[in-house]
Amino acid sequence: MWKDCGVDAMPEMEATLKRDAVVVPLAAKRVCGAVACRDCGVYRLCAALGLEEDELSLLERVVKRKLIFKRGGLLFRAREPAHYVYAIRSGSVKTCVGTEGGRVQITGLHLPGELLGLAGFDSREYTCEARALETTSVCQVSMQQLEEVAERLPAIHREMLCIMSGQIRHYEQLLLLLGKRNAERRLAAFLLGLSQRFALHRYSPTQFNLSMSRSDIGNYLGIAEETVCRVFTRFQEEGVITTRRRYVELHDIERLRAIAHDPGRRAAAPSALASGT
Amino acid sequence: MWKDCGVDAMPEMEATLKRDAVVVPLAAKRVCGAVACRDCGVYRLCAALGLEEDELSLLERVVKRKLIFKRGGLLFRAREPAHYVYAIRSGSVKTCVGTEGGRVQITGLHLPGELLGLAGFDSREYTCEARALETTSVCQVSMQQLEEVAERLPAIHREMLCIMSGQIRHYEQLLLLLGKRNAERRLAAFLLGLSQRFALHRYSPTQFNLSMSRSDIGNYLGIAEETVCRVFTRFQEEGVITTRRRYVELHDIERLRAIAHDPGRRAAAPSALASGT
DNA sequence: CCAGCGCTTTGATCCAAATCAAAGATTTGA
DNA sequence: TCAAATCTTTGATTTGGATCAAAGCGCTGG
């Protein structure tokens, strides 16, 4: 399903850290495999813009241009001036933050229709680094011009607030995942989450490409890559999933759900204060 | 102990879901121990409002009222209509999210000057539950009226975006913390983070009240409460800190920093793709 | 078509932290 | 003031998952 549009991760040894994005003229409307505008997370934002001027001209004014990044390509670095926001049209992107200690933590896997780079609104700098996990097509949106338009159209700001609050919800879920111990549960929840998101964007919820290596997945979920392998193997033996490298098929969503939600053993339950459900 | 405010979800008390916050007339300007308005996280927001009308009258229009919650008091529940945003004036609040599995994860400890409840902007519902950890004074701000004013003043929206992006940065840091293994590092980073935040609001950065129980701290950091105790004891033996129940003194910030940033052993390092620093 | 490299898998061993237990220390309400 | 109810600590034991090692596998480029 990924190959048909030549998007599959041809890990080209691109040693270059510089942006080697390919600029695509806006005229080239449809990128094969890309989400349609109306499935894009910024669609409502674009729609709001359309309220007052000719749709395309305004889009051109704010959507700087369409870019294509190769696997490993850098969209932006942490602490770099945040001039642009990116909407993913096809492919996938991972974001990560780093400590002084040199450790790196992957904080997000972003799929088509999602928006990147808004978190730096406050400091006007990106808070994390973003890299394409495979050949990825994005819309690059100028923050400054977006702000200028927003000055007159509060709807723009409201959409931005919505997108950010969505990001916050995502992090809350991830925290929930990392707080709970068990590796099986983490992976089950991870797969289910992906499945849901793919479904949201009209991709198959039962077979997809992970696009991240075992090592990245481990980092993202706070477990060792060997453990990721072992759990995948176990799931496979139980007939819950099938994997072949980064390609996955989910055979038994219910079982996965059971694993992910397993009330299981005690896991640092908060005091009565917390459990006020 | 929680009975004092009748908020805890005891079966027999189930009916008392109502907030038993004490309403303080706006006239009562200074709450002992509360942050001054200009140290409050929403100050810029309030200031922006002041631009166009008499300060107090507009504040009264948007800041619904000042409330005081007792320890354990419920500010809001997850999935409840998000009518208000809360600015903490004094005390502290914890936020937590829950899974179907019944597990609860504490996602935040909020100190004076911080803002709560904005994450629900998208869905117009709170995404998490918020409870006072001690007697806590807050400003309750009406979302609807805030939005009405924002319609004319983009600055309001910009401030909200800033506050949200700050929240996102906080979560990114927390993820970094939960991703890295070692319990000592988690606790060292936790203490340092608190110290910084207290300093930010003009409280002592070296002696403060944790306000959370060991159990809550463990939940927040993804470790068992017994481990929290043991690590605190170890820190104490090394002369790095002193604790007495929830009261802490930091004696050797540098040492704490060293522990927190310890390059340490391998910890699921992401692939070359990720470490593009 | 083959060699090299990076990713994935599997096995063996070790250890930090979870669990299980239970005794102090506080708090608080009867 | 006392006793139940909570927290905190500390000790003993267990264990999931990290580490260490070392084969397979599949691209990718020469």
Side-chain angles (χ1 to χ4, degrees):
Chain A
M1 114 178 273
W2 296 82
K3 258 206 307 266
D4 61 353
C5 45
V7 173
D8 207 11
M10 305 300 286
E12 250 157 295
M13 281 308 98
E14 68 96 19
T16 60
L17 291 187
K18 57 171 168 285
R19 312 305 148 72
D20 63 344
V22 176
V23 180
V24 180
L26 272 180
K29 294 294 279 290
R30 305 247 170 259
V31 174
C32 173
V35 290
C37 271
R38 55 170 296 108
D39 290 331
C40 172
V42 270
Y43 173 68
R44 290 193 304 175
L45 205 158
C46 290
L49 290 169
L51 289 176
E52 73 158 26
E53 287 188 39
D54 166 73
E55 185 177 323
L56 188 59
S57 78
L58 228 180
L59 252 161
E60 270 178 359
R61 183 168 145 203
V62 173
V63 174
K64 188 76 168 188
R65 51 189 178 170
K66 240 168 257 169
L67 302 177
I68 292 184
F69 291 88
K70 289 192 202 159
R71 174 177 161 89
L74 184 67
L75 279 73
F76 52 79
R77 288 176 191 288
R79 282 178 300 286
E80 193 172 73
H83 295 312
Y84 303 103
V85 168
Y86 296 86
I88 305 176
R89 295 174 51 75
S90 69
S92 53
V93 174
K94 73 174 172 185
T95 45
C96 54
V97 293
T99 40
E100 311 79 349
R103 225 184 66 82
V104 173
Q105 170 70 45
I106 297 179
T107 55
L109 164 59
H110 306 272
L111 302 181
E114 298 180 357
L115 201 64
L116 283 175
L118 257 187
F121 189 90
D122 187 3
S123 51
R124 309 232 153 245
E125 291 180 354
Y126 294 116
T127 62
C128 59
E129 170 181 302
R131 272 175 198 280
L133 282 163
E134 57 195 301
T135 300
T136 294
S137 159
V138 303
C139 286
Q140 188 185 45
V141 182
S142 156
M143 262 311 285
Q144 196 198 322
Q145 296 182 340
L146 198 58
E147 271 303 283
E148 279 166 15
V149 180
E151 196 72 26
R152 286 171 296 121
L153 291 180
I156 301 286
H157 270 152
R158 268 198 296 277
E159 287 312 322
M160 290 167 72
L161 282 165
C162 284
I163 289 166
M164 275 211 210
S165 68
Q167 175 75 51
I168 289 177
R169 261 204 310 289
H170 166 253
Y171 277 152
E172 282 173 351
Q173 288 310 308
L174 190 53
L175 284 171
L176 202 49
L177 202 61
L178 291 185
K180 88 177 84 182
R181 303 273 58 69
N182 195 285
E184 287 198 357
R185 277 196 265 172
R186 293 184 196 205
L187 277 163
F190 172 68
L191 291 174
L192 285 171
L194 276 184
S195 166
Q196 266 183 14
R197 288 162 72 195
F198 278 118
L200 215 56
H201 297 300
R202 303 162 191 229
Y203 288 107
S204 165
T206 55
Q207 37 193 43
F208 46 83
N209 208 298
L210 291 174
S211 75
M212 288 204 287
S213 69
R214 303 287 191 265
S215 165
D216 278 356
I217 294 172
N219 177 286
Y220 184 49
L221 299 178
I223 54 188
E225 63 181 299
E226 294 95 327
T227 304
V228 175
C229 280
R230 276 186 257 265
V231 173
F232 274 175
T233 302
R234 221 174 304 155
F235 282 173
Q236 219 158 168
E237 287 165 354
E238 293 170 17
V240 182
I241 68 172
T242 302
T243 64
R244 174 164 179 75
R245 307 281 287 178
R246 299 184 183 183
Y247 176 78
V248 189
E249 279 184 45
L250 311 188
H251 300 308
D252 190 348
I253 300 264
E254 272 321 309
R255 180 93 187 80
L256 269 184
R257 218 166 258 146
I259 294 172
H261 297 159
D262 177 4
R265 62 248 75 177
R266 154 186 159 182
S271 71
L273 243 178
S275 53
T277 340
Chain B
M1 132 182 292
W2 301 108
K3 267 200 302 258
D4 61 352
C5 46
V7 172
D8 212 13
M10 319 224 95
E12 80 270 21
M13 299 298 291
E14 202 47 271
T16 62
L17 293 186
K18 58 176 174 285
R19 312 304 142 75
D20 65 343
V22 176
V23 179
V24 180
L26 273 181
K29 295 293 278 293
R30 305 247 169 260
V31 174
C32 175
V35 290
C37 270
R38 53 170 298 110
D39 290 331
C40 172
V42 269
Y43 172 68
R44 289 194 302 178
L45 204 158
C46 290
L49 290 169
L51 289 176
E52 74 158 25
E53 289 188 37
D54 167 73
E55 185 178 322
L56 188 59
S57 76
L58 228 180
L59 251 162
E60 268 176 1
R61 182 169 145 201
V62 174
V63 174
K64 189 76 166 187
R65 52 188 179 171
K66 241 168 257 169
L67 302 177
I68 293 183
F69 291 89
K70 289 192 201 159
R71 176 176 159 90
L74 184 67
L75 278 73
F76 52 79
R77 287 177 190 288
R79 282 178 301 286
E80 193 172 74
H83 294 313
Y84 303 104
V85 168
Y86 296 86
I88 305 176
R89 296 174 50 75
S90 69
S92 54
V93 175
K94 73 173 174 184
T95 46
C96 54
V97 293
T99 42
E100 311 76 350
R103 224 186 66 85
V104 172
Q105 169 70 44
I106 297 180
T107 54
L109 164 58
H110 306 271
L111 302 181
E114 298 180 357
L115 203 64
L116 284 175
L118 258 186
F121 189 91
D122 188 3
S123 51
R124 309 232 152 244
E125 290 181 355
Y126 294 116
T127 61
C128 59
E129 169 181 303
R131 272 176 198 279
L133 282 164
E134 57 195 302
T135 299
T136 295
S137 160
V138 303
C139 286
Q140 188 184 45
V141 182
S142 155
M143 262 311 284
Q144 196 198 323
Q145 296 182 339
L146 199 56
E147 270 304 282
E148 280 166 16
V149 180
E151 196 72 26
R152 286 171 296 122
L153 291 179
I156 301 286
H157 270 152
R158 269 198 295 276
E159 287 311 323
M160 289 166 73
L161 283 164
C162 284
I163 288 166
M164 275 211 211
S165 68
Q167 174 76 51
I168 289 178
R169 262 203 311 289
H170 166 252
Y171 277 151
E172 283 173 350
Q173 289 310 308
L174 190 53
L175 284 171
L176 202 50
L177 200 63
L178 290 185
K180 90 177 82 183
R181 305 272 59 69
N182 194 287
E184 287 199 356
R185 277 195 265 172
R186 292 184 197 204
L187 277 164
F190 172 68
L191 291 175
L192 285 171
L194 276 184
S195 167
Q196 265 182 15
R197 288 161 71 195
F198 277 118
L200 216 57
H201 296 301
R202 305 166 189 223
Y203 288 105
S204 165
T206 54
Q207 38 193 44
F208 45 83
N209 212 299
L210 290 173
S211 74
M212 288 204 288
S213 70
R214 301 289 191 267
S215 165
D216 278 354
I217 294 171
N219 178 286
Y220 184 50
L221 300 177
I223 54 188
E225 63 180 299
E226 294 94 327
T227 305
V228 175
C229 279
R230 276 185 256 267
V231 173
F232 274 175
T233 302
R234 221 176 304 155
F235 282 174
Q236 221 159 166
E237 287 165 355
E238 294 171 17
V240 182
I241 67 172
T242 300
T243 64
R244 173 163 177 74
R245 307 282 286 179
R246 300 185 182 182
Y247 176 78
V248 190
E249 279 184 45
L250 311 188
H251 299 308
D252 191 347
I253 301 263
E254 271 322 308
R255 180 92 187 80
L256 269 184
R257 218 167 257 143
I259 295 171
H261 297 158
D262 177 4
R265 66 247 74 181
R266 154 186 159 184
S271 71
L273 247 176
S275 53
T277 338

